[in-house]
Amino acid sequence: MSQGCGPVVCYERMPLVDSRSIIMAQGENSLSHPASRRSFIKGLGAAGAGLTALPRWSFAQDSAAANANAAIDWKQFAGQTIALSGAIHPWSNAIAPLLPEFTILTGINVTVDFQLETTYLGALPIRLARGSSTPDVFMFTTYGQGISNGWLEPLNGYYSMKSLTDPAWYDESDLLKTARAFPLWSDGERYAVPITSEAMTLFINRDALAARDQPVPQTFDELLVTAKTVKTNAMSGIAMRAQAGGNSSPPAMGFVFSYGGAMVEHNRVAFASPEAIAAVEIYGQLLSQAGPAGVGSYEWYHVLDDFLQGRTAMAIDSSNFATDISNPAKGRVAKQAGFATFPHLAGRGPVPFMSHWQACINSKSRNKRAAFLFLLWATSKATSLQTAAAGLATTRVSAWSSEGFKKAFGPRAAEAALTNLQNADVDRAKAILFHPQSRPILDAFMIGVNEVVNGAKSAKDAMTGAAERANAAIRG
């Protein structure tokens, strides 16, 4: 989530440009300004260069042939212009170089505005609340807030329009199970189209474990034993997020889910349950007993940086880290890195936190049908094969199975990520992600987790207090 996805690359804002002359944002290396984890995974300029190095003409030919087979009049909105906004991360990295192909296919021009994730997510709700007709299409995470406020266009009617959609060509059966279920609101309406896939994954420095004769841990108890065993003065046993803010919540939520707990049930915060308390307790033990110094301030970029530089033996975070971990130019551990399933409680299956970034249509847009045509094209089989070859974890089974994706992402990393996605519980993830008050709930949760990690409170006291604060926010 973006609460979606190390050393950080800080990017300048991309100016609004026509799709035929897209300007790639240039970044500067920085350790002081966190961008999104997805923006760190691959800079916008770097992604453009990577795609150029691939056999683009062959990709374009294959894509054109596939689109020609669709029973869709691609030129029906020729001459229109749609505005696309989003965060700088692997999806925007991968889709931006392909936008000229969309314009050639449809005659629709696309202007783009990609910003740092934190800047983008802060500014977008303000813009939508003011009733702006742009952007027409935008990346989105706070689904419940958007639906409750009427910002998102319902999409079921567009899927049923014969002039817009060819179901056989689009082939929804090729979508990952989680991607099919994720956009559905309680009444069965869809307000978004998933564009990426990620799940919490266990990263292993195999040399560090082998040096202490430790196998890859399977259960949480084994994880604690291994983390404590491999910890040295120069290397922590495990690194995970623990900063007191909702953006740090995904790994800890996977612990709660795997212990049988939930974040929200029946519009009430549920993380003061015995299951959630036990999950947070071992999360705190792992980081306080085997984590790095100062782990209470850790966000995703600290976790990734520690793993890349060999300062931690294990880490748990987004599967999207794999493209950097497997890249020897990004860090020191590419050859000894391992990718594993999320740990589980003895006697229960693992339930890692998962999420999909989604793209939505502005309910005030003046170009809704052209915007929907863009979403179909951007998430089609042919386009997904191209973005997957750039290392993007798409929503398509065919793309995940492609040689281009396996080469870019790494076959072992892809296998682990897909397993973790399959083990995830979409409903439990959606219950919190789609809640209109998701942000204050997640903030309260991570304040409690941070208190446990820092030894300020017991898990029971911290989670009880956190739940009280979050429920007060819901009532307010």
Side-chain angles (χ1 to χ4, degrees), residues 188-237:
E189 182 62 80
R190 287 181 283 189
Y191 295 84
V193 178
I195 54 177
T196 66
S197 307
E198 64 181 301
M200 293 299 107
T201 295
L202 174 62
F203 304 111
I204 301 291
N205 185 317
R206 289 177 291 153
D207 287 358
L209 268 63
R212 296 300 181 96
D213 197 27
Q214 291 294 304
V216 175
Q218 303 293 315
T219 68
F220 290 112
D221 287 341
E222 291 171 357
L223 184 67
L224 180 59
V225 170
T226 300
K228 291 167 66 175
T229 301
V230 300
K231 179 179 172 63
T232 67
N233 291 335
M235 177 182 286
S236 67

Side-chain angles (χ1 to χ4, degrees), residues 2 17 22 86 94 123 131 175 178 194 264 281 298 305 352 365 373 382 458 476:
S2 41
V17 296
I22 293 171
L175 295 174
T178 54
V264 177
E281 182 174 11
Y298 265 46
D305 188 31
S365 168
L373 204 61
S458 69

Side-chain angles (χ1 to χ4, degrees), residues 26-74:
Q26 298 299 309
E28 90 179 350
N29 291 328
S30 168
L31 293 178
S32 58
H33 302 294
S36 103
R37 67 166 169 267
R38 300 165 183 78
S39 70
F40 169 70
I41 288 174
K42 194 177 288 180
L44 194 58
L51 278 173
T52 301
L54 293 169
R56 290 292 307 280
W57 178 241
S58 177
F59 270 132
Q61 283 183 311
D62 292 344
S63 181
N67 293 329
N69 289 328
I72 296 173
D73 176 8
W74 290 107

Side-chain angles (χ1 to χ4, degrees), residues 55 68-69 91 98 124 152 158-159 177 189 193 195 215 271 292 302 313 350 353 387 392 433 467:
N69 289 328
W91 185 76
L98 306 183
L124 181 65
L152 311 185
Y158 295 86
Y159 279 103
K177 179 180 67 174
E189 182 62 80
V193 178
I195 54 177
F271 47 70
H302 299 104
F353 175 82
T387 54
L392 181 71
L433 293 180

Side-chain angles (χ1 to χ4, degrees), residues 321-475:
F321 285 1
T323 50
D324 281 290
I325 290 173
S326 299
N327 186 346
K330 297 279 187 166
R332 306 174 180 176
V333 298
K335 292 184 178 179
Q336 62 261 43
F339 307 88
T341 56
F342 195 82
H344 63 89
L345 186 64
R348 301 183 66 101
V351 187
F353 175 82
M354 60 71 59
S355 65
H356 294 285
W357 264 97
Q358 303 197 96
C360 304
I361 296 175
N362 187 346
S363 63
K364 300 295 193 298
S365 168
R366 299 187 181 97
N367 305 293
K368 294 176 182 176
R369 295 191 181 189
F372 183 78
L373 204 61
F374 170 79
L375 290 180
L376 286 186
W377 168 83
T379 57
S380 67
K381 283 185 177 181
T383 303
S384 294
L385 284 173
Q386 294 190 73
T387 54
L392 181 71
T394 73
T395 60
R396 292 238 170 223
V397 175
S398 55
W400 277 76
S401 304
S402 67
E403 291 305 314
F405 177 68
K406 291 176 182 178
K407 181 177 180 180
F409 201 76
R412 292 175 300 159
E415 181 180 0
L418 191 56
T419 298
N420 286 321
L421 278 167
Q422 292 169 336
N423 288 338
D425 186 327
V426 178
D427 290 335
R428 271 189 277 190
K430 286 171 62 174
I432 177 60
L433 293 180
F434 295 177
H435 195 285
Q437 299 294 324
S438 61
R439 175 52 61 179
I441 293 172
L442 291 171
D443 285 344
F445 172 69
M446 282 310 297
I447 290 172
V449 171
N450 180 268
E451 291 171 336
V452 177
V453 171
N454 287 331
K457 291 183 179 180
S458 69
K460 182 176 181 180
D461 289 346
M463 286 298 100
T464 300
E468 289 174 354
R469 290 191 297 272
N471 279 322
I474 293 176
R475 290 193 297 271

Side-chain angles (χ1 to χ4, degrees), residues 150-172:
W151 299 339
L152 311 185
E153 178 73 2
L155 300 181
N156 280 0
Y158 295 86
Y159 279 103
S160 64
M161 291 182 185
K162 292 183 178 180
S163 61
L164 281 179
T165 308
D166 179 351
W169 166 81
Y170 191 68
D171 189 11
E172 287 194 301

